[in-house]
Every structure is written in structure tokens, then in C-alpha cells.
Amino acid sequence: MALPRLRTVVLVSGAALLTRRALKRRIARSPLWPLPALPEPVSGHSQRRATAVRRLLITERSEVAEGVVRLRLEGAGLPRWEPGAHLDLVLPSGLVRQYSLCGDPEDTGAYTVATRLVADGRGGSREVHEQLREGLEIEVRGPRNRFPLTEAPAYLFVVGGIGITPVLPMLRSLAASGADWRLLYGGRSRASMPFLEEIEKLGADGDRVTVVAQDETGHPDVAGALAELAPGTAVYCCGPEPLTDAVAAALPAGRPLHLERFSAAAGDAAGPGSGPFEVELRRSGRTVPVAAGQSVLAAVRTAAPHVAYSCEQGFCGTCQQRVLEGEIDHRDDLLTDDERGDSMLICVSRCRGGRLVLDL
């Protein structure tokens, strides 16, 4: 009698195991089973955020100018990067901030970033300066590059202060290749300008570097630097908004500008898409109103407080959401043309009509 009973137990157990496996596969295909499966959501899962997340060790912390801290972040087998790339740092508080890589792209054992303390900023730089120390592990994402060095017969760089960080690897690369380049580098004082000694050495051959310290000679002559550009010269600018605006205004018509900003470009508060509208959250089955002076993010979080966000200025991409219906008023400088077709950064962008439908 024991053998048939044992066989029955084995058969029942096997059938139960197969049933559980089949059920798991069915649920995986449709989280709302037994309802029909929905298409896989892409909101919160774009290629930008799909970049590998790593934990790196801070092995060196040094002050490279007044108020500017440089961090060396070490790890094994790190991806190579191109000059102009940046790294996302996930700070201990959970804030995500982007910092340009300023080390050696061929160094697969470490990344180097530098940040200036902004006393009246939103807290990211203060957290870096006050909490990030040697021996601490930090989570990073990237690198990514939205400010690449293009092929050109000549280059002109106009840089202000900490804006030198993405440009420095470019200068090293161009100097090593023998390319024709010039740099106009401005700052409040020479002591506040990071990497100044190295930059002056790079430009010593051919008098390529012009340093303008505001406390000595005032503001850089942007118009003069752009007045006689050789044909095909690539113009790069990185720095505070007054500098980037001055370069854009002085650049001859038809000449492209490679630009990286410290903050979001000022938008037209009275322009199209600035009025109230409503946002439908298709997966949640809810519709929320967005007031004229309210961000889509703020409105959405009243119904979906779990929605991720960080910079609230259209820089980091954390709040990127898929748009199913509606005309988007893009107000960021981050998304690619392809991404703008069906997604938006809900912290800054709005609607050009009366209604948006998000994949939320």
C-alpha cells in the first residue's frame, strides 16, 4: 500500500509544481491577469535610465580651485567615454545630479568629476562638498554624452568657470592630435578657475589660451573672439547663462553653436502651451488638471506620488514619461529628436493643447 500512496503523492506534487510554473508565466505576461495583458510600459524605463547603475568608491578628494572639489571614483572595467560626456551621481539623499567627466577617457578603472559649491543652489553641490569623502561608495549612472566633440578644421571654446570640466578632455585630445584650437576662459578670479595651470600649459604652444579674470580685467570680449572666425570653425560654449547668451548673440548668422548650459534655458511664460490643461493617466484611470503656473510633475504627483523625479529643471531625465496622445510643448535641452516624438520631461515640458495622455 505504501508504494501506490507514494506514487500518488509524487504525481500530485508534480502537477502542483507545473501548475505554479504555468501560473507564474501567465502572470508575467499580464500583471493584471486574468485581465488582458497591456503593452509593456516604457515610462520610467527609457534608454537613458537603462544605463547600467554602478557603485564606485571615492578614492581621492581634492580642491582644484576655490570652492571646487574634484572626486576620483574607482571601479573595475568601466566603459570608455568621449570628451564632453557626463555622469549621473546618485547622492546619499537620493538626489540625482549630473557632472561632466574631466579625467582620462581611456582610464577604465576610474571616473573623475568636479563640482563647484553653489551656496544658493538646490542642495546638490552642497551635499557633494559636505558629505562625499574618500572611502565612501556612491551610485552612478552613465556615462552619456550630449556635448560631443565633432570633426572640424578649427575650434573656438568660450568657457566660464566650472564650465571648463567638459571642455578639458577636449583640449587634451586636440592638443595631442595637433589640431587648431583656441580657448577664451573667464572666471571671477584666477584662484576660482579650476585646472587653470594645466590649461595654460596645453595652450603655451601658439598662444592658444586667453584667460580673463573678472577681478583683474572685467568680462571676456566675446564679440571680439567671434569676430573673425575662420570658415568651418566649430564654436563650443559652456558656462553660466549670461555667457551662453552673449555667445549666441555674437555668433555670426548661420554658424552652429555647440552649447552646454548650467541651468535650463529661460522659457516664455506667456507662450503657447503655458495655459491650463488636463493630463489623463491612462494606466491609473485618472485625470488631473494642470494649472497655468503648475508643472505637469506637480499635478501628476497629486494622483501618483510614486512618480520619480530629481532635478526639476529638465536636465537629468528621471521624470521622462511616454506620451500616448496630445501635442507636447518641449521645454528641455535633454531629449533627442527621436525621444521627443513620444515622450516628455514632465518637470518642465507642457501641452500645446487642452489635453495630454501619459502612459502612467
Side-chain angles (χ1 to χ4, degrees):
M1 295 293 293
L3 186 58
R5 185 180 297 112
L6 176 61
R7 185 182 300 113
T8 301
V9 171
V10 170
L11 290 174
V12 171
S13 299
L17 178 60
L18 292 174
T19 300
R20 285 197 299 272
R21 288 178 177 175
L23 183 59
K24 286 182 179 179
R25 288 194 297 269
R26 184 65 186 88
I27 293 174
R29 289 194 299 271
S30 174
L32 300 179
W33 184 85
L35 299 178
L38 294 172
E40 181 180 357
V42 299
S43 297
H45 299 283
S46 71
Q47 290 183 349
R48 173 171 294 104
R49 287 183 301 281
T51 303
V53 175
R54 299 175 178 84
R55 293 196 66 83
L56 302 183
L57 180 66
I58 302 174
T59 59
E60 181 182 332
R61 183 184 190 277
S62 59
E63 187 170 334
V64 293
E66 289 181 353
V68 179
V69 164
R70 175 175 58 189
L71 301 175
R72 178 177 172 85
L73 314 173
E74 292 193 2
L78 301 179
R80 289 180 172 83
W81 50 276
E82 297 294 329
H86 71 269
L87 199 66
D88 295 349
L89 268 59
V90 183
L91 303 178
S93 68
L95 288 175
V96 180
R97 294 293 183 264
Q98 292 70 44
Y99 296 106
S100 297
L101 289 163
C102 55
D104 180 1
E106 298 302 315
D107 183 358
T108 59
Y111 291 142
T112 301
V113 298
T115 178
R116 182 184 298 282
L117 176 62
V118 182
D120 57 351
R122 295 176 302 114
S125 68
R126 181 171 297 280
E127 190 169 349
V128 170
H129 279 248
E130 294 181 354
Q131 297 191 33
L132 299 191
R133 295 288 185 269
E134 293 179 8
L136 179 70
E137 280 194 340
I138 185 169
E139 185 177 296
V140 306
R141 300 197 294 248
R144 298 190 297 270
N145 198 341
R146 303 191 66 87
F147 190 49
L149 182 63
T150 60
E151 291 286 340
Y155 301 84
L156 171 64
F157 299 90
V158 183
V159 175
I162 195 64
I164 196 64
T165 50
V167 170
L168 181 56
M170 298 183 185
L171 302 183
R172 293 181 185 132
S173 176
L174 295 174
S177 68
D180 181 9
W181 62 274
R182 290 183 296 130
L183 168 67
L184 177 60
Y185 185 19
R188 295 191 305 273
S189 66
R190 293 180 68 90
S192 71
M193 299 166 73
F195 309 111
L196 183 56
E197 183 178 353
E198 178 184 356
I199 288 166
E200 289 183 321
K201 288 180 179 178
L202 286 172
D205 179 18
D207 194 27
R208 300 180 185 275
V209 176
T210 300
V211 176
V212 180
Q214 186 176 340
D215 62 349
E216 297 175 2
T217 56
H219 296 286
D221 181 8
V222 171
L226 297 170
E228 298 182 0
L229 287 176
T233 300
V235 179
Y236 281 76
C237 180
C238 184
E241 189 172 358
L243 178 67
T244 59
D245 288 348
V247 172
L251 192 67
R255 300 296 293 268
L257 175 60
H258 304 272
L259 182 65
E260 183 155 272
R261 299 178 182 272
F262 287 168
S263 59
D268 181 3
S274 296
F277 55 96
E278 64 180 21
V279 173
E280 177 189 340
L281 311 182
R282 176 63 53 85
R283 291 176 180 271
S284 303
R286 299 188 62 178
T287 298
V288 296
V290 182
Q294 186 182 33
S295 70
V296 176
L297 172 65
V300 166
R301 282 179 58 81
T302 62
H306 64 280
V307 170
Y309 70 99
S310 178
C311 74
E312 298 184 83
Q313 294 190 71
F315 275 99
C316 69
T318 304
C319 69
Q320 182 178 347
Q321 300 294 337
R322 183 185 180 197
V323 179
L324 303 178
E325 297 176 22
E327 185 179 0
I328 309 166
D329 178 16
H330 291 286
R331 301 188 178 189
D332 67 275
D333 294 316
L334 181 70
L335 297 183
T336 66
D337 289 342
D338 286 344
E339 290 171 324
R340 287 172 184 265
D342 65 356
S343 66
M344 66 184 291
L345 300 187
I346 63 172
C347 67
V348 292
S349 296
R350 298 181 66 78
C351 176
R352 289 187 176 273
R355 183 180 179 84
L356 283 176
V357 180
L358 299 182
D359 184 28
L360 274 173

